[in-house]
Amino acid sequence: MLRRIGTAGLLTLALTACGGGGGPAGATPTGGGKAAPPAQTPAPQTTAPQSPPQAQAGAVGRALSKMSVQEKVGQLFMPVLYGTAADTVSGENQARYGAGTPAKVIAKYHLGGVILFPHNIKGVGQVVGLTNGLQKSSREVPLLIGTDQENGLVARMSALMTDFPGAAEIGATKDPDLAMAVAKATGDELRALGVNLDFAPVADVNVNPNNPVIGRRAYGDDPARVAKMVAAAVKGFGASKVAATAKHFPGHGDTDVDSHTGLPVIKHTKAQWERIDAPPFKAAIGAGVDAVMSAHIVFPKLDPSRDPATLSKPILTGLLRQKLGFKGVISTDALNMEGVRKKYDDGEIAVRAVLAGADLLLMPNDLPKAYQAVLAAVKSGRISQQRLDQSVTRLLTLKQNRGFLVKAPVADADEAARVLRSKEHRKLAALVAR
């Protein structure tokens, strides 16, 4: 899915998300000395900012109690929309979703979130207008507005944002303070544009040199070093008040198949998973990561069913929830990727992802079919009302923790112009590069 074009390093994506994405044709959401950190290195923030428990439960509970079943189901979905403004009429939106503008798609499906790609981006003022317009279109609950801004190979907003080195370059510095500072600066720029969720950092340990999809998107091949870098990046995003997502659970680092086009099989034993793949995810959870993204990979020693992890209850609920104790949002990788579409149709994929433990259904290949399938599963009792409420509560809690459950954030074009590609951020990028 990833292809470099030109010297500017822009990416052309067959819209998928993991480096994930959704795009015009469909696009995803998948060693050196220690450098001195910049003076502005943020103070560590180990958890997402929490409201007082009673106030948080009250706000989340009130929002949940006002929702119909249709609105709750809509909260689970984060598709890619087409257009550079909320009221842009697009034949792509009409063909895919039965509604011409992003605003109408949001209203029709009561969406909980939207993911942005390069085709949504023309300029700073335009993106600020787009994100503000999208928020105004969501009448029930403010939106999660996400993107894949890993930096390096996967940087959806690269046309506007500082060109920070990717994870491999940061990992090579062996300096977690730099990972934290880059994540903080990246989050500050995203928030200035109205983006409140980043599908980063990559928590995979890239132990296979033939890996076609992770490679230099990972901080390295040493589990302990990757874990330190991931934890630092999570804290950096937390300091910027942008939600972070560790990906791709249970670990996409040892594969020679791209899950955008095939279904990788990881042959690690459970002991190898504990030693190689698990440490960065444990570190992310310990640092207060907001979300964890699943991988479209088969991991037979963790689940012999040979379903991809995205559809595996033993992996998402058994390992991630129960063994690692993760209480935040579980996001699927992009559901338009071939790795998850080998065995089931687009409606059944969405239902099985929820039953496995996923909360956020990213970029379904067929949103109308997926939405109706989940709604029908709730009405039939296949997905219990309690199970639906668990996911919606987690999504609402993330929004509450990041400060925009009750009132939608409003981006400011002048502030964005000041923050994006600031002198301070360009100095930080140069420091890491050196």
Side-chain angles (χ1 to χ4, degrees):
M1 107 185 172
L2 301 177
R3 298 290 185 270
R4 274 202 182 273
I5 58 172
T7 58
L10 299 179
L11 294 171
T12 301
L13 301 167
L15 294 177
T16 13
C18 97
T28 237
T30 167
K34 182 169 181 175
Q40 296 80 7
T41 297
Q45 179 172 329
T46 57
T47 58
Q50 300 287 325
S51 302
Q54 291 182 335
Q56 177 179 327
V60 171
R62 285 192 296 274
L64 185 70
S65 68
K66 294 176 183 178
M67 290 184 181
S68 66
V69 172
Q70 290 83 357
E71 290 167 349
K72 290 178 181 179
V73 170
Q75 280 293 303
L76 308 185
F77 286 94
M78 179 180 278
V80 57
L81 301 181
Y82 297 83
T84 54
D87 58 356
T88 298
V89 176
S90 166
E92 195 77 36
N93 289 327
Q94 189 65 50
R96 289 175 178 268
Y97 312 127
T101 69
K104 289 181 179 179
V105 179
I106 290 167
K108 180 176 182 178
Y109 294 98
H110 315 286
L111 295 178
V114 174
I115 183 169
L116 301 185
F117 278 87
H119 67 269
N120 299 119
I121 298 159
K122 300 297 182 185
V124 173
Q126 170 267 318
V127 173
V128 167
L130 171 64
T131 57
N132 287 342
L134 294 174
Q135 291 290 6
K136 289 180 181 178
S137 304
S138 183
R139 297 178 181 177
E140 292 96 16
V141 176
L143 294 168
L144 285 171
I145 299 181
T147 196
D148 289 290
Q149 190 69 19
E150 299 171 12
N151 297 317
L153 285 174
V154 178
R156 309 300 191 208
M157 315 292 279
S158 62
L160 306 180
M161 291 179 56
T162 301
D163 183 19
F164 288 112
E169 289 76 17
I170 296 171
T173 70
K174 303 181 182 180
D175 188 350
D177 285 343
L178 288 178
M180 187 188 302
V182 169
K184 167 66 163 60
T186 300
D188 285 345
E189 294 196 13
L190 289 173
R191 187 163 55 88
L193 290 167
V195 176
N196 50 45
L197 170 68
D198 195 359
F199 289 109
V202 171
D204 303 310
V205 182
N206 193 60
V207 294
N208 189 332
N210 297 317
N211 195 323
V213 65
I214 303 302
R216 297 188 68 77
R217 296 167 61 196
Y219 286 106
D221 58 7
D222 178 72
R225 185 187 303 173
V226 173
K228 290 178 182 178
M229 294 290 177
V230 167
V234 168
K235 293 173 185 177
F237 281 115
S240 74
K241 302 181 182 178
V242 165
T245 309
K247 60 187 187 185
H248 312 77
F249 191 83
H252 209 315
D254 190 6
T255 174
D256 57 6
V257 175
D258 187 341
S259 52
H260 295 89
T261 56
L263 182 56
V265 177
I266 305 291
K267 297 179 181 179
H268 289 184
T269 65
K270 192 167 185 178
Q272 286 175 312
W273 176 78
E274 289 270 13
R275 178 172 56 84
I276 298 171
D277 304 290
F281 291 100
K282 292 179 180 178
I285 293 168
V289 74
D290 301 88
V292 172
M293 177 184 281
S294 68
H296 303 328
I297 56 173
V298 171
F299 215 126
K301 297 300 183 182
L302 301 182
D303 180 1
S305 74
R306 300 192 75 84
D307 274 342
T310 296
L311 308 181
S312 169
K313 189 170 184 178
I315 291 176
L316 296 191
T317 298
L319 278 184
L320 185 52
R321 288 269 184 240
Q322 296 171 357
K323 183 176 178 63
L324 300 188
F326 180 58
K327 294 179 171 57
V329 168
I330 297 178
S331 171
T332 71
D333 203 341
L335 296 179
N336 62 1
M337 292 165 59
E338 287 305 310
V340 77
R341 301 181 68 230
K342 293 291 186 181
K343 294 174 65 174
Y344 309 106
D345 69 26
D346 292 317
E348 183 67 8
I349 287 167
V351 172
R352 284 178 176 261
V354 174
L355 292 173
D359 307 304
L360 192 160
L361 304 176
L362 182 62
M363 295 173 53
N365 187 63
D366 186 331
L367 174 62
K369 187 173 187 177
Y371 176 89
Q372 290 299 330
V374 174
L375 183 60
V378 173
K379 290 182 175 180
S380 72
R382 185 181 177 193
I383 296 174
S384 69
Q385 186 69 54
Q386 180 185 23
R387 174 68 194 88
L388 176 63
D389 284 356
Q390 286 173 345
S391 282
V392 178
T393 297
R394 291 186 192 109
L395 290 160
L396 297 178
T397 300
L398 187 159
K399 295 177 182 184
Q400 171 73 5
N401 288 346
R402 288 300 169 205
F404 59 92
L405 174 60
V406 176
K407 183 178 180 181
V410 178
D412 179 82
D414 291 337
E415 173 68 5
R418 184 188 69 78
V419 173
L420 269 69
R421 293 178 175 168
S422 68
K423 183 178 180 180
E424 174 189 347
H425 290 177
R426 286 183 280 113
K427 282 184 176 180
L428 174 59
L431 173 63
V432 177
R434 287 198 300 272

